[in-house]
Amino acid sequence: MKARVTEILKNFGVAESAITNDVHFVRDLGLDSLDTVDLIMRLEQEFGIRIPDEDYPKLTTLQGVLDYLEHEQRVSVTA
């Protein structure tokens, strides 16, 4: 899962060496609000999920994204 998210981030021109679990997309990587929305759309496509607008604030770091995706995966398995 981390490798898939890393590949998405690299498409934004982010160097793989800059991608750590605690990297903040805006503060550390310089993504702006449009980049962030694009990132979320790409995550939805890559993982086949729908991310509600109210969940966007949870997705500001790589670890936040990984935690969110793991939670969504567990929820879909039990549903």
Side-chain angles (χ1 to χ4, degrees):
M1 192 175 310
K2 182 176 180 177
R4 290 165 68 186
V5 176
T6 298
E7 284 303 312
I8 293 170
L9 288 170
K10 287 170 41 180
N11 289 325
F12 285 91
V14 175
E16 189 167 354
S17 61
I19 302 172
T20 62
N21 282 11
D22 62 344
V23 70
H24 191 277
F25 300 137
V26 174
R27 185 181 59 239
D28 300 328
L29 299 180
L31 299 183
D32 62 23
S33 59
L34 292 176
D35 291 331
T36 303
V37 170
D38 190 21
L39 171 64
I40 290 170
M41 289 172 40
R42 291 182 190 203
L43 291 169
E44 289 177 327
Q45 290 173 345
E46 177 70 22
F47 293 96
I49 61 172
R50 168 78 176 97
I51 301 172
D53 293 351
E54 60 268 13
D55 288 348
Y56 286 15
K58 299 175 186 176
L59 309 175
T60 59
T61 65
L62 177 56
Q63 189 61 54
V65 168
L66 295 175
D67 291 345
Y68 185 87
L69 293 172
E70 287 174 14
H71 175 265
E72 289 301 305
Q73 186 176 34
R74 282 193 307 269
V75 168
S76 69
V77 168
T78 59

